Amino acid sequence: MGHSNTRCRLLGTTAAVVFLWPQIAAADYALNMTRGVTELSREFYDLHMLIFYICCAIAAVVFGVMFWSIFNHRKSRGAVAAQFHHSTRAELIWTIIPIIILVGMAVPATKALVKMESTGDADMTIKVTGHQWKWRYDYVEPGFGFFSALAADSNEARALRSGKDPGAVDNYLLNVDHPLVVPVGKKIRFLTTANDVVHAWWVPALGWKRDAIPGYINESWARVDEPGIYRGQCAELCGKDHGFMPVVLKAVPEDEYFAWVEEMVVAQADASAGADRDWTREELMAKGEQVYTAFCAACHQPNGLGIPPAFPALAGGAIATGPVDQHLDRVINGKPGTAMAAFGGQLNDVDLAAVVTYERNAFGNSAGDVLQPAAVKAARK
Amino acid sequence: MSDAVMHGHEHHDHHPTGWKRWLFTTNHKDIGTLYLTLALVMFFVGGAMAMVIRLELMHPGLQYVDPQFFNSMATLHALVMIFGVVMPGTVGFANWLIPMMIGAPDMALPRLNNWSFWILPFAFSLLLLTLFLPGGGPAGGWTLYPPLMLQTGAAMPFVIFAIHFMGASSIMGSINIIATIFNMRAPGMTFMRLPLFVWTWLITSFLLIATIPVLAGAVTMLLTDKYFGTSFFNAAGGGDPVLFQHVFWFFGHPEVYILILPSFGIVSQILPTFSRKPLFGYESMVYATASIAFLSFFVWAHHKFTVGMPLAGELFFMYATMSIAVPTGVKVFNWIATMWRGSLTFETPMLFAIAFVVLFTIGGFSGLMLGITPADFQYHDTYFVVAHFHYVLVTGAVFGMLGGVYYWLPKWTGHMYDETLGKWHFWLSAISVNVLFFPQHFLGLAGMPRRIPDYALQFAEWNFISSIGGFVFGLSQLLFLYIIVKCIRAGAKASDQVWDGAHGLEWTLPSPPPYHSFVSPPMVTDATAHS
Amino acid sequence: MSTSSSGYYLPEPSHWPITGSIGLFSVFAGAAMWLNQVGVGPMVLGFGLAVFIYMLFGWFGTVIRESEGGIFNRQVDVSFRWGMFWFIFSEVMFFAGFFGALFYARVLSVPWLGGAGGELSTHEFLWPAFSPSWPMNVIPKPEDFTVYKEVIPAWGVPAVNTIILLSSGGTVTLAHWALKKNQRRALCWWLFATLTLGFLFVGIQASEYAHAYEELGLTLNSGIYGTTFFMLTGFHGLHVTIGATMLTVIWARALSGHFKPDHHFGFEAVAWYWHFVDVVWLGLFVFVYWL
Ligand code: HEA
Ligand code: HEA
Ligand code: CUA
Ligand SMILES: [Cu+2]
């Protein structure tokens, strides 16, 4: 008696879950995929729900039959085993029906895929480059670009035993310093590539992720329908801080977008100014600290002590306290086969001069010398 | 005809004892026991790593390990579970059972058999040793993708050589199994009378011999790219990082069927026994297994739909992947038809087999969903994938093996295990494993990437639940250990037949079976063949 | 030694396998240490090799004694045959992996870098100076690589090597016929001819390598062309060396009277292996040198 009671309750719960499923699924973002804000994402979402329901239906039939026989054909109920062991007709049926179902799934899937691959006639192009561990966005036509890395408050809180409560951080791990800004209603062609290792650029609201392969470019597209902020993450293991290179996409109305572009173009020009003049030591140290925090601290740590042996200390390090040209060379060209990337392509002359100067005179290093942007320019040749 | 077996020296059955017995043995049962023991030990090693993962993921924020170590835990967890648990474990079953099932005295190449096993402890020493090297263990994921893998420090050559070494073991083991099945069958044991477990292993061996060398090639390319200046995976020299992914998955996808097919075989032995009814559709089971294996060579790129392949490639690999659902469906339907109108009892092996059918199928459904390319653009590299493969691997491959252990343990040891404890083990495992992995579907759909040590707050609840499930599942396995030890030491004497519904040659032997399984080959007829 | 023709021979416990594992473990550990610039690496590797070679002698010696002792019946022989067959199949798949890499580079990745097949932006944004060809004499980023002057043309030394290897396939077959007719002198001479041709091939190949490195500037580091060229021909050369060494062993055994016209699996296994090496070379000649 007690037994059948529990059984009833179990059945009841199962039934409730099965029948309420669509409501549960639709109700909460943390249960199901987002429908997203593009034509593609909605198509993929519908496809996802379609195959999901088909699988549920098949499961209901298959498990239903199975549990029927578990309950009714049990020895304890006196069941006597039949001895049949094949039926060509049954076997044909359960080969052909799945084939038909699969074809039914393949048709919409094929359509969606063809649409996804049509990257032609885009209104604008953005090149997305994965770096360990930040993204770079280059707006091809206006011709400017910037890096986008994990926001500082998240970055502090995510340190091992930081003592900071992730719950108190705004959009913990999903916030960046400089979001990618795009206009709504425009077909944007995304070119993904990478600088060091494979990354994958993913904003669920766009409906897809695309791998960023060093040395190759992948094309994808999106047209965002609604203004808003959409968050995503790097989706291919790219080393230590793979979990900490989010993507934030800010979709804004077109006029707002153009205003932003103008601002960016001006700012870019300012940043590269000054490459021709001599910088004072204080200027270089201040600038260098910024660059160091943004580009180098992930591995060499803010205090310059690194995480030996994987990531060497710069404090007292052989190269950071040795000849300046070797130091500069290591930063410009990196060291192939290690995580130390070539920063020559990522940083301009001022940044390089500043960061090298900083490393040589911070963390207790006291080389005392100052590297000028002009010297970097000369060394690049 | 008297003695079908011959020894090198006149003195029969004079064997070394103690540790030398195990080190030098050429006996299929000893070697089977060694394999199974290794698998069990490695299950705890790999499981302990999984516990580290689940512990760190229990709450948002980094509490216990740094990201680099987390990544090397995930990498080693996978390598240990796949190469150290499921593969050796199923080879252990093969060693124990194939000679007994086909009426042979032993494996075809007994010394080679010893070597196949005794490579593994050395290979795993090489692999696990890397944890103690400067720079730590490999942390590029078990898929070893370059260029990230090329950033590995001192561990790199150790990992690669360990994989070469394990590969050599697998290849030799499979050669032995094929030679045994082709050449050692008792008179009358035709191919279409082979028990299904033997069939699945025959096909698995073929998959192994065809794909492990390709893996060896892939990791060799990694090695030369890192140390000898080649540019297989370097675009600057005309290579392509994606080339590695193609070569790896050409191995990798057949590999997942290498992991599951032997468990298919085990389940196909268990279900008829406890349904007291012959296996339904024996022939179509054989053909379905062969089709799955054949198709598995043409679907590899479904692991990298997002890598930016030409449209035609994406379509081809999508259709090929979907088509695997058909033969797999045939297997599932046949299992259910076997139970249909049987006379069912629910001893522990049967419970695991039933759970296998249900939970593997759930994993298969999520696999099918992953195979739909546009949907995979969302699913890929999220916890949805993690949920998928743990359903097919843990509640599939591992549950099949657990059921198999309960099923044949009385035959192997001559003792019954404790049925009550067995049922406890089953129910604890079956419930907790779903608490562990089912929420991961939700996590993945909601956007949580895999291989991350820390996550955004909206993922906190399900991760917590998953971790709790994980700890309970892990602790339940300690019970399994206890049951085995208790069975060996103090189990009641088992009969030769053990299960009243069991058919097949292995049940005609005493429990435990004699040193050489069939000294003179039995005559096999339709009646005495498989169930 | 009592033999019964119906008995399947099951060997006694053996210490050779574990010896082999210790040997290989040391080889791997030593090589890994060497790559990590640990001083004792080469020594550990050398020790491992010595143990491994000792194991080969011991293990094969045992098998040869058993075989010559006549205790392998027909069924054992079939086991060995299946063993060797599937081993060679695994070797085929190993080479298939490298051929796959070659085709991938030639057909897909190199053209893609040059902008073919919808990869225009790869070319435009990343490698504007690169124009694809095979042999790939322009490397996408030449400063990181050894740029070569020329490649080795197919219709010179490689063609000669093809003839050498193909004729060695013939001589080994002649040796087999001689063995089946129990003409021992002819067997030994044809075997000797085969292994001489084999080593000659290796020698010529080595001098080609020296030529490529020293005069043509074609090295492992010459981009994907040098990579595939040396890795494919190198692994093949390694297999020829192993095969020729096995031929030498077989030759020595033939000289000391081993093998019977109806029972000579050791010989056949090596002959199969030799044909396999031959066939791989044909693939190499066509796809690496010629086309
Ligand atoms: C035992 C191991 C195993 C098995 C058996 C499978 C089985 C399948 N797998 Fe899985 N898979 C893995 C292990 C396994 N997989 C692993 C380890 C990974 C991740 C690797 C990594 O990246 O680390 C992975 C990843 C993986 C991916 C890549 C996901 C991604 O990274 O984006 C895909 C995509 O197609 C996939 C598909 C499938 C399919 C279609 C099957 C099919 O074989 C399933 C077929 C079964 C059924 C469909 C159910 C039964 C059928 C019926 C009841 C009939 C009726 C049904 C229908 C008509 C729908 N798997
Ligand atoms: C057969 C293969 C197999 C098996 C059996 C398992 C078993 C388990 N896996 Fe495994 N897993 C993989 C194959 C497997 N996994 C693969 C291929 C990956 C991908 C790796 C990659 O991304 O490269 C992966 C990745 C993976 C992840 C994702 C990591 C990430 O992406 O960051 C997680 C997270 O939850 C996980 C958890 C578990 C758990 C909890 C178990 C449990 O089932 C384990 C249970 C067993 C035990 C716990 C051991 C027994 C008990 C003890 C040791 C006693 C102590 C117990 C306690 C203290 C509680 N695994
Ligand atoms: Cu970048 Cu993961
Ligand atoms: Cu797969």
Side-chain angles (χ1 to χ4, degrees), chain B residues 249 252-257 296 299-303 321 324 388:
Chain B
W249 288 115
H253 187 82
E255 167 71 14
V256 307
Y257 296 111
S296 76
V299 302
W300 75 85
H302 67 212
H303 292 274
T321 300
I324 294 195
H388 156 64

Side-chain angles (χ1 to χ4, degrees), chain B residues 301-387:
Chain B
H302 67 212
H303 292 274
K304 41 199 276 300
F305 279 141
T306 62
V307 88
M309 282 180 291
L311 176 63
E314 288 179 333
L315 286 173
F316 171 82
F317 286 108
M318 173 170 78
Y319 300 148
T321 300
M322 293 172 78
S323 69
I324 294 195
V326 176
T328 316
V330 168
K331 304 210 67 138
V332 171
F333 300 137
N334 281 353
W335 285 324
I336 289 169
T338 304
M339 291 164 66
W340 183 253
R341 294 192 38 217
S343 169
L344 278 63
T345 52
F346 302 93
E347 287 84 347
T348 312
M350 182 65 164
L351 290 174
F352 273 106
I354 292 174
F356 173 97
V357 176
V358 176
L359 300 174
F360 168 80
T361 303
I362 293 178
F365 286 145
S366 58
L368 183 86
M369 295 170 76
L370 290 165
I372 309 281
T373 313
D376 188 62
F377 289 155
Q378 288 279 33
Y379 307 139
H380 177 66
D381 259 328
T382 66
Y383 262 75
F384 193 77
V385 179
V386 177

Side-chain angles (χ1 to χ4, degrees), chain A residues 24-205:
Chain A
I24 300 175
D28 198 340
Y29 178 66
L31 273 177
N32 197 5
M33 194 188 277
T34 167
R35 280 198 88 212
V37 290
T38 67
E39 183 189 344
L40 282 176
S41 73
R42 283 186 295 267
E43 199 154 321
F44 296 173
Y45 174 86
D46 292 342
L47 190 59
H48 154 71
M49 289 317 284
L50 173 74
I51 52 185
F52 171 69
Y53 285 132
I54 293 178
C55 287
C56 287
I58 300 174
V61 174
V62 173
F63 300 152
V65 173
M66 180 167 174
F67 282 107
W68 174 270
S69 87
I70 287 178
F71 282 117
N72 291 297
H73 303 151
R74 40 173 59 208
K75 195 174 176 208
S76 54
R77 295 181 115 213
V80 180
Q83 287 304 313
F84 63 85
H85 54 78
H86 80 279
S87 152
T88 311
R89 196 160 59 150
E91 291 176 63
L92 267 179
I93 291 175
W94 65 52
T95 310
I96 290 167
I97 292 182
I99 293 179
I100 296 171
I101 297 175
L102 290 173
V103 173
M105 292 179 180
V107 172
T110 305
K111 282 192 193 137
L113 200 50
V114 171
K115 191 177 283 179
M116 168 78 189
E117 296 303 333
S118 324
T119 52
D121 56 78
D123 300 316
M124 59 182 282
T125 301
I126 298 177
K127 180 160 159 264
V128 179
T129 310
H131 290 261
Q132 277 173 323
W133 292 279
K134 56 193 169 297
W135 293 100
R136 183 178 172 88
Y137 301 116
D138 286 292
Y139 289 68
V140 174
E141 286 97 21
F144 65 89
F146 55 91
F147 283 96
S148 172
L150 183 65
D153 50 352
S154 286
N155 203 27
E156 267 168 49
R158 64 100 174 176
L160 181 57
R161 289 182 219 102
S162 66
K164 297 211 166 69
D165 173 19
V169 177
D170 174 35
N171 278 299
Y172 179 58
L173 296 188
L174 293 181
N175 212 5
V176 294
D177 48 3
H178 308 292
L180 174 67
V181 179
V182 300
V184 293
K186 293 279 167 203
K187 181 165 181 180
I188 306 162
R189 187 168 67 128
F190 287 96
L191 304 180
T192 42
T193 183
N195 184 54
D196 31 44
V197 302
V198 182
H199 303 259
W201 193 79
W202 181 33
V203 179

Side-chain angles (χ1 to χ4, degrees), chain B residues 133-425:
Chain B
L133 292 178
W142 82 282
T143 49
L144 314 172
Y145 284 5
L148 179 61
M149 191 60 194
L150 299 176
Q151 293 182 353
T152 310
M156 176 92 175
F158 287 93
V159 176
I160 286 180
F161 291 143
I163 290 173
H164 281 134
F165 217 6
M166 293 170 201
S169 157
S170 295
I171 291 172
M172 292 194 287
S174 329
I175 287 176
N176 213 337
I177 289 170
I178 296 199
T180 306
I181 299 172
F182 277 5
N183 194 33
M184 305 291 283
R185 281 168 290 124
M189 181 55 88
T190 58
F191 274 101
M192 275 307 172
R193 282 177 183 159
L194 287 177
L196 217 71
F197 176 75
V198 180
W199 259 114
T200 52
W201 247 113
L202 180 62
I203 292 167
T204 303
S205 305
F206 173 74
L207 288 178
L208 278 163
I209 300 178
T211 59
I212 295 279
V214 178
L215 172 69
V219 297
T220 306
M221 294 179 207
L222 279 180
L223 189 80
T224 58
D225 264 19
K226 167 105 180 163
Y227 294 104
F228 301 103
T230 60
S231 31
F232 285 111
F233 311 130
N234 183 356
D240 186 351
V242 177
L243 167 61
F244 179 86
Q245 304 186 14
H246 282 292
V247 185
F248 179 88
W249 288 115
F250 181 83
F251 146 81
H253 187 82
E255 167 71 14
V256 307
Y257 296 111
I258 289 166
L259 301 173
I260 200 68
L261 291 186
S263 283
F264 280 179
I266 292 172
V267 167
S268 304
Q269 303 297 130
I270 294 177
L271 287 176
T273 296
F274 298 98
S275 305
R276 293 166 183 76
K277 188 162 155 286
L279 181 70
F280 188 89
Y282 172 88
E283 284 185 21
S284 57
M285 287 300 248
V286 172
Y287 296 135
T289 313
S291 320
I292 292 173
F294 175 76
L295 289 171
S296 76
F297 285 103
F298 306 99
V299 302
W300 75 85
H302 67 212
H303 292 274
K304 41 199 276 300
F305 279 141
T306 62
V307 88
M309 282 180 291
L311 176 63
E314 288 179 333
L315 286 173
F316 171 82
F317 286 108
M318 173 170 78
Y319 300 148
T321 300
M322 293 172 78
S323 69
I324 294 195
V326 176
T328 316
V330 168
K331 304 210 67 138
V332 171
F333 300 137
N334 281 353
W335 285 324
I336 289 169
T338 304
M339 291 164 66
W340 183 253
R341 294 192 38 217
S343 169
L344 278 63
T345 52
F346 302 93
E347 287 84 347
T348 312
M350 182 65 164
L351 290 174
F352 273 106
I354 292 174
F356 173 97
V357 176
V358 176
L359 300 174
F360 168 80
T361 303
I362 293 178
F365 286 145
S366 58
L368 183 86
M369 295 170 76
L370 290 165
I372 309 281
T373 313
D376 188 62
F377 289 155
Q378 288 279 33
Y379 307 139
H380 177 66
D381 259 328
T382 66
Y383 262 75
F384 193 77
V385 179
V386 177
H388 156 64
F389 67 71
H390 282 97
Y391 267 84
V392 282
L393 284 169
V394 179
T395 59
V398 172
F399 267 32
M401 289 164 67
L402 289 174
V405 169
Y406 283 109
Y407 186 53
W408 282 294
L409 201 57
K411 173 57 63 187
W412 296 339
T413 62
H415 299 287
M416 278 314 278
Y417 62 87
D418 184 324
E419 186 63 54
T420 315
L421 286 182
K423 289 214 166 83
W424 269 100
H425 175 220

